[in-house]
Amino acid sequence: MLILLRPDTHSCGGRTTAYLHAGRADAPLALLLHGFPDTPHSWNPLAEGLVEAGFRVVAPWLRGYAPSSPAAGDDHGPSSHVRDVAALAQVMGADEHTLLIGHDIGAAIAYAAALRHPDLFGRVVTLSVPPPAALSAVMTSYAQLKRSWYTFAFQHPAAEELIVADNFAFLRGLWTDWSPRLDPTPHLDHLRAALPDREHLSAALGWYRAMFQPNPSDQALATEQSAAGGRVPKPWLYLHGTDDGCVGAEVLQYVPGGVPLHGVGHFPQLEAPREVLLHLRKFLESDSGTSVGD
């Protein structure tokens, strides 16, 4: 059964953030952030378990993914996403009981959001992309550079045309490389709807372009994260598939307390939702979580 059935929108600062939601209005909030190339529909298997566990689930389309709107200019780097998440969390009544879950880029946003807004998020769960310090530890290896080739391809002015060619064959290739046992077809259908034109696609690629040409607010965010020593300032759970073709599982050696998901690729919430929920329930029932550096 698919739980995420009700779309809605929130407007702030001239932009619209669209999201899927389910659960009782008075239940604790679980805010779920998708990655690239993905949409909030990928949270459906996990959302069902969260609602049954008593959470109110909210899963937004990230900035630039329709029906969320792009921003004017090139404001699509990490800081802009953190502002979006904080604004949505406040509207949804986030507090110390709020659960923040992020996958891929959504994980990177979650680290920064938890660091900047510790009053809005009680616990943090991330999948498939570790905190900046751990990711930096493996990024210069040949094996990881080979996996991350697409981030360099996205800097090219023709990247948008490459992606849409042959009915998004480029993105199908990424999904297949990252999770070989997962059929990407239904998720690509959602992606085509989320990236209907060049404006939205350029906005989605803006995250990767900001990696090489960050604006001042992104540079300030990176400085804050560096000063924090890679810590996540909340109880935290990290899950990573051992067969992840996007970020190699060797990164787990740099994440104390990180949980390996054996035989799982880059999309654990789709490939092993029951296992993810099992770890999540244990984490929520524990007295404390783990932070990098502990």
Side-chain angles (χ1 to χ4, degrees), residues 37-39 65-66 163-172 184-197 200-201:
D38 204 359
T39 71
Y65 291 74
I163 289 174
V164 300
D166 194 18
N167 203 22
F168 283 68
F170 189 106
L171 299 187
R172 178 179 289 276
T185 302
H187 312 293
L188 289 173
D189 291 340
H190 290 306
L191 265 171
R192 294 185 190 99
L195 303 174
D197 50 41
H200 285 87
L201 185 52

Side-chain angles (χ1 to χ4, degrees), residues 82-100:
V82 171
R83 291 196 302 270
D84 293 346
V85 168
L88 183 60
Q90 289 169 340
V91 167
M92 295 295 158
D95 58 22
E96 68 275 11
H97 302 295
T98 297
L99 173 65
L100 180 62

Side-chain angles (χ1 to χ4, degrees), residues 106-116 124 126 129-132 225 232-233 236 238:
I109 298 169
Y111 298 130
L115 183 68
R116 280 199 166 183
V124 179
T126 52
V129 168
Q225 290 179 313
V232 178
W236 169 53
Y238 182 68

Side-chain angles (χ1 to χ4, degrees), residues 108-156:
I109 298 169
Y111 298 130
L115 183 68
R116 280 199 166 183
H117 303 280
D119 57 318
L120 294 178
F121 307 108
R123 289 178 184 257
V124 179
V125 177
T126 52
L127 298 83
S128 306
V129 168
L135 189 59
S136 296
V138 299
M139 273 307 297
T140 56
S141 72
Y142 179 73
Q144 187 54 50
L145 284 170
K146 213 166 48 162
R147 298 185 193 102
S148 300
W149 67 273
Y150 64 96
T151 64
F152 303 98
F154 289 166
Q155 309 308 310
H156 196 281

Side-chain angles (χ1 to χ4, degrees), residues 175-208:
W175 273 71
T176 302
D177 287 346
W178 296 353
S179 290
R181 289 180 289 278
L182 182 65
D183 179 10
T185 302
H187 312 293
L188 289 173
D189 291 340
H190 290 306
L191 265 171
R192 294 185 190 99
L195 303 174
D197 50 41
R198 185 183 178 92
E199 182 182 19
H200 285 87
L201 185 52
S202 294
L205 295 182
W207 173 278
Y208 295 98

